[in-house]
Every structure is written in structure tokens, then in C-alpha cells.
Amino acid sequence: MVGNRCGRAASTRHAVVLVVWLGVVLPAWLGNPAAVAAQEDHNPPPQELVVTEVWRVHGATLLDGLTSVTGLAEATTGAIWVSDMSRGSGRVLAFDPSKTAVVTLVGGPGEGPGEVSGPGRIAIAGDGSVMVYDVGRGGVEAYTPMGEPLRRVRFPVRVSWDKGFDVLPSGGFVVSGSIAGIEAAIHEFGPEGRLLRSWGDQAQADSWRARLIATGGPVHGLSDGFVLYSQGAPHRIVEYEIPGSGADEVRERPVASVTGLLDAPGDAVIVETVEDGVPIRGFNVSYPQSRAVWMTEDGRVLNVVVSEEDGESIWQLFDGSKESASGDARLVAETRAGEAYWPWFRCRNGDILASLTDPVTDIPILVRLGLAIQPVDRPFGGGQR
């Protein structure tokens, strides 16, 4: 590993107050459901879901500057890991935001141990290993929490336009996105990289290219072996039971849906233009869609929809109890934040690591978000959709 010193990371504290009506009484902190005792009041007063920026680090202060954040995670050491697609070549960095920014280059571009091709989403295994999905190579690069290379897992197929990645309790991996020739949205790989099964509907579009680009959504591997999945668009959250050895059927349980919140982009993800008589094909992937889904410790489901064009993110909390057999929305709270926070990782204490873009320089900004519930000391007056 190569250590690099740069200027002190910018650290500020901001709060975005999101007023919602809670149908049930929530714990004081979403990441700590035991923080308050259960209450019997069936008519709770209005509450506020408060999203607070615990810290903010501008990407320009990290090494020679970030170009495009494609993954974020917190290792068991407390270090923040970043996948950065830097000027056509990817790299993986790690830093401690609480000190003078000493940035470690964990993995640069290349084929050697720990080196990467196109690093993306990052997940933490049960033993603390840091797993980086490398879409450029088609597999996973595994590291110790200290950043030493462990092993490389190659997949027999490449999941492109990936929208979700996590490590399963079995040691395998779940990736959401498109595989050429396989009409499915979610794919399970064994610990050694073998493709075990694929399932889930592709995106709705007439063009095969549009289906390829828009298919998938965020995933969360649960401790009981289930997989939580939030379809990018249209809106639908499902829990899947992964079968054991020798079984093929993946059973699904609808968790929630909000009709009309997100429309399928269809063929609109492909943009055809002509410049100087030359046809040019581009891609519009900034349409509003679910970017993260997690099951909290108290069994609720936190889902985050990002609308980059509108410069906002929609935070939703659902009742995710297994007793719910229907797909009807069990929305506990829903509100909008005036920042297009792109959530990447949920920390052990319930905080969220996210990124956004500097509107002036287009350089990524990294933030750590704390979520809390607070009482409202004024009459309830909106905030709910």
C-alpha cells in the first residue's frame, strides 16, 4: 500500500429537517432500535425524521481529487473506502476523515494482486473482509480491513450496468444488473465465483439496449439468507428467499410498493442525437430511481430514491414485518431532502455513507448522514406525500 498526504479534510455539520407523520412510534435512532422503550400510544404526535450531515469531505482534498464515486463503505477499522473511476482508470482509496487526510491507495489500475480494472460497489463480509465489485474485470477483489489483498474472485459472466451488490452469509455474492443473454435482474454467485442462479424481471422497454441499461436495483443480503431488493423503477420492494442446495425456485414476498412514485423509463434511457451530421448515441441514467434499500435492526425497510435532475432524495421507511403477505404499501414515513444524496452504505451504527456532486466544480463530495426521530413542537403541516 502507498500512503499519501494531502490537506485536512473539510468537515462541517449540516442538518436537513424532514417533517413526516409516523403511523407508529419509532426508536430515537433508526440504527439503534433499543434506544427507547416501546410505547402503547396509538395516536402518537407528529414526529420529525432528521437527516444530519455528521461530516462532509470534498473530493478535491483526497489524493489528486476524486473523479466519479462508484462505491463507498466503512471498514471495521473505521476507515472509509472509496471506489473512484479516475480519468478512465479505476482505483480504490481509504482514508480517516477524523484526522489530517492521509489517503491510502489500496488498489490502483492493473492485473496484479489487489489491483482493479473498474471498481464499483463495496460490501463488508461477516469476517470484516472488504469486497469490491469490479465491473471492469467481472468479479470481486477481496481485501483485509487493513487493505491487504486477499484474493480475486472471477465471475464467468459480467454483470453490466450494475445497481446493487452485497455479500451473502454463505460467502457468496448477489449482484443486480444485466447479463448479456440472461433475461433476469438479480444474480447469485458462489464464494468461488460460479453463477448459481438468476431471477427477477428485466426493465420494461421495447429496445434491448434500454432493457440492458435500466434493469436492476439495489440489493441487501440479510443475515437469514434472504435478499431484499428494491426495483429501480417502477417502484417495488421485494424480499426473496434463496433456496438451499439442490433447489431452484426462488420464493418472493412483496414488501411494499407506492403506485405512481416511479415510472419505468422505457426507451427514454437511450438518447439519439446528431452533431455535424454524425449520429451520436448517449444514455440518460439520471432518471429518478431507488438507489439503496436496507433492513433496519427493528425489521423496518429503509428505501432511498434519488432524483438527480430535481436535486433531491426521497427517504422512505416501511413496515417490513414478515406477517405482511400483501404488496400494498406499508409506509411509515416518506419525505424529501433538498440534496440529491446518493446512498452507498449503511454503517454499523445506522449512519449512511453517501455522495453528491459539487454544483460548481462537478467534483464528488462524500458525506456521512445520521438519521434520528425527534418530536415536533408545532402543529403538523405537511411533508408527507
Side-chain angles (χ1 to χ4, degrees), residues 279-295:
I280 298 176
R281 175 181 291 131
F283 307 107
N284 174 24
V285 295
S286 61
Y287 58 90
Q289 59 185 292
S290 175
R291 295 292 187 179
V293 66
W294 293 287
M295 182 80 75

Side-chain angles (χ1 to χ4, degrees), residues 348-380:
R348 285 170 294 173
N349 70 342
D351 286 355
I352 306 295
L353 296 181
S355 63
L356 62 158
T357 302
D358 187 312
V360 177
T361 64
D362 285 336
I363 296 175
I365 298 172
L366 310 182
V367 295
R368 184 185 185 106
L369 303 174
L371 284 77
I373 301 298
Q374 295 181 359
V376 177
D377 56 1
R378 59 184 182 277
F380 178 70

Side-chain angles (χ1 to χ4, degrees), residues 73-79 81 122-132 142-148 150-151 167 345 348:
E74 181 184 48
T76 54
T77 61
W81 287 50
I122 308 174
I124 307 298
D127 63 358
S129 301
V130 182
M131 305 292 184
V132 179
Y143 306 86
T144 69
M146 299 302 296
E148 301 293 337
L150 279 175
R151 69 184 190 278
V167 184
F345 185 82
R348 285 170 294 173

Side-chain angles (χ1 to χ4, degrees), residues 51-84:
V51 178
T52 303
E53 288 190 12
V54 181
W55 51 250
R56 170 181 283 221
V57 174
H58 201 288
T61 68
L62 299 179
L63 223 55
D64 54 346
L66 299 180
T67 300
S68 177
V69 174
T70 52
L72 269 176
E74 181 184 48
T76 54
T77 61
I80 304 301
W81 287 50
V82 187
S83 289
D84 177 37

Side-chain angles (χ1 to χ4, degrees), residues 161-179:
W161 299 96
D162 60 296
K163 298 175 183 64
F165 168 70
D166 208 353
V167 184
L168 300 174
S170 64
F173 310 94
V174 59
V175 189
S176 175
S178 299
I179 295 177

